[in-house]
Amino acid sequence: SAESSETLFCPISDTVAAEIFKKKPRSRHHRWRCAEVTFTCPEEALCQHWVSSIREQLAAIASRPKHLLVYINPYSGKRQGKRIYERKVAPLFAQAGVSTHVIVTERANYARDQLKTGAELQKFDGVVCVGGDGMFSEILHGLIWRTQIDGGVDPNCPEEELIPCTLRIGIIPAGSTDCICFATVGTNDPVTSALHIIVGDSQPMDVCSVHHNNTFLQYSVSLLGYGFYGDVLTDSERKRWMGPARYDLSGVKMFLTHHYYEGTVSYLPAKGIMGTPRDAARCRSGCVVCQHNRQLLPEKAERYEVDEASESDSEWRTLRGKFLAINAASMSCACPRSPKGLSPAAHLADGTTDLILVRKCSRFDFLRHLLRHTSKDDQFDLAFVEVHRVRRFCFTPRHCQSDSDLDLRENGKHQIFSQICRDHPACGCAPAYSSWNCDGEILNHTAIDVRVHCQFIQLFARGIEEPKVFEELPNPCAI
Ligand SMILES: Nc1ncnc2c1ncn2[C@@H]1O[C@H](COP(=O)(O)OP(=O)(O)OP(=O)(O)O)[C@@H](O)[C@H]1O
Ligand SMILES: CCCCCCCCCCCCC/C=C/[C@@H](O)[C@H](CO)NC(=O)CCCCC
Ligand SMILES: [Ca+2]
């Protein structure tokens, strides 16, 4: 009788593929590809039995999503989002039996607003965004907001214990920076991300809430940057038509302008935790530092009391000065521009953020600091740079000590003058204020209060896998 064969869908990493097929691993680490493995057996009935058993086993894995809500931003990055999804991702979802409800966004905040109020979320196992960090931010805001309102929690209160979101978020990278995807997967490759979604991976992630007085402003998972990165973002928004290259042009421009800003930073150091921002070790798949530090935090009710106690214990530290940049990196912020990131030893899910203060220095020194983001040298090993691992911090710009100053400034006057100064750096008048870059969005307040919420959301990812040495791999024939 004729032999029967059936091809099964099997995502594997390059290194495992190399071991199975005895090829050399490809140089671009962390990419996953589909491989076809054909099994043959002498009887068709037996073959069908195998196929249906394997399908049943796969369907029984509860962590694998079966129904996904997908939002595509058609204007992300090089405007390839729709094409990337249709050509590279949709066929994989179909092959893996994942059903989808796909929505192409019609305007900015379309996805966020739908998730906040309209979308019926009960029937989905996760929400996927096709786009960049801004699109991810929309999904994050929609889901967090919806969860708090449904649970009766007031997001405007900075002390409120937020309710974590249960729906996982998937990112199909199609943006300009793709920092969140890169730092959680190790590459910004749509096929790899689709496969992590299909196999149902989970990666917890910290979320910072940002408040001004008692008003909620925004959530952040990657970079909160005042000074250099705030100015780069403000300038680059007017060059959106250039696509991803806008950041390079604005980066050079803002480096040459060399503005510094005065202000006061207060922070609550993360005490008793494992890890420091100067460690050589990195946050990797199954990170023990993240697991350990999560366990240090007491459960909900007690945690609130402990935070209150430590804050009143005056463990807060305060620094004043002139800063070229104030950055809070809740994760490494690794991206194709800087594969080691703004804070290479930061952790995805340890309940802390790395507060990096770059004080006023010469252009030459600032360039040394920036260039070290792209080399092996330590960007913190410079006299004008300091870094602290913190649970919470506040910033107040120098000219903003009272509420009345604040209202005047934020209602336009400051915006107009700082814009004139930015556009005409030759006027010699340095602007008093920068803006906060919050995961690629500009905040419209400069005095902010930031608090880290440990492991607040879950992504369809598994963290960056350490490349394995060949000999360490099990022999597939022996399993
Ligand atoms: N249909 C749409 N039309 C215009 N803007 C949109 C639309 N859908 C989403 N947006 C907005 O586009 C902005 C940029 O999107 P996104 O982050 O996906 O791309 P990017 O800026 O190129 O990438 P990155 O954030 O990685 O730098 C987001 O702020 C998002 O709110
Ligand atoms: C003169 C040579 C200088 C070389 C310096 C390279 C330093 C690169 C560090 C890159 C840090 C990226 C941090 C990520 C921030 C994202 O949340 C945000 C949203 O996508 N992207 C930007 O704000 C876009 C920010 C782009 C900054 C360039
Ligand atoms: Ca963190």
Side-chain angles (χ1 to χ4, degrees), residues 18 36 98 107 139-140 218 313 399:
E36 287 185 353
V98 178
R107 57 171 172 81
I139 306 297
L140 176 85
Q218 199 123 341
D313 264 346
H399 300 283

Side-chain angles (χ1 to χ4, degrees), residues 10-233:
C10 170
I12 53 175
S13 72
D14 280 352
T15 334
V16 175
E19 179 65 17
I20 292 174
F21 301 116
K22 296 290 173 211
K23 287 190 306 186
K24 279 198 165 171
R26 289 164 41 164
S27 55
R28 279 185 287 177
H29 290 304
H30 312 300
R31 279 186 162 216
W32 283 21
R33 284 291 172 267
C34 283
E36 287 185 353
V37 180
T38 306
F39 296 94
T40 52
C41 72
E43 287 171 42
E44 190 171 345
L46 183 60
C47 176
Q48 286 311 323
H49 186 59
W50 268 100
V51 170
S52 56
S53 297
I54 291 171
R55 291 221 163 103
E56 271 169 33
Q57 295 289 325
L58 287 175
I61 303 174
S63 56
R64 284 190 175 220
K66 289 165 189 72
H67 197 38
L68 293 170
L69 177 58
V70 180
Y71 285 102
I72 304 176
N73 177 356
Y75 299 109
S76 298
K78 294 180 183 156
R79 303 181 174 217
Q80 297 295 306
K82 214 162 159 276
R83 196 181 141 108
I84 288 172
Y85 182 76
E86 281 162 6
R87 295 208 175 170
K88 298 189 170 181
V89 178
L92 293 179
F93 283 168
Q95 213 179 343
V98 178
S99 67
T100 53
H101 180 65
V102 180
I103 298 170
V104 178
T105 62
E106 292 174 13
R107 57 171 172 81
N109 294 325
Y110 186 86
R112 185 199 67 183
D113 295 346
Q114 264 199 4
L115 290 169
K116 263 184 170 181
T117 50
E120 264 188 62
L121 298 179
Q122 306 89 302
K123 57 184 179 189
F124 296 109
D125 304 310
V127 182
V128 171
C129 57
V130 184
D133 296 327
M135 200 51 206
F136 172 82
S137 179
E138 281 203 27
I139 306 297
L140 176 85
H141 281 81
L143 285 180
I144 297 182
W145 195 267
R146 175 79 167 263
T147 312
Q148 307 321 305
I149 299 305
D150 287 354
V153 168
D154 175 12
N156 280 317
C157 174
E159 312 302 331
E160 188 85 82
E161 208 51 59
L162 301 176
I163 305 170
C165 299
T166 45
L167 275 185
R168 271 176 289 173
I169 308 177
I171 309 172
I172 301 295
S176 305
T177 316
D178 294 325
C179 156
I180 298 152
C181 178
F182 199 93
T184 52
V185 177
T187 180
N188 57 336
D189 172 56
V191 170
T192 306
S193 291
L195 295 173
H196 280 289
I197 296 170
I198 288 168
V199 300
D201 277 333
S202 281
Q203 171 64 47
M205 213 162 66
D206 296 336
V207 176
C208 289
S209 57
V210 187
H211 287 80
H212 165 73
N213 291 338
N214 279 326
T215 309
F216 167 76
L217 295 183
Q218 199 123 341
Y219 296 110
S220 163
V221 296
S222 56
L223 165 71
L224 264 163
Y226 186 79
F228 182 68
Y229 289 103
D231 295 348
V232 168
L233 185 68

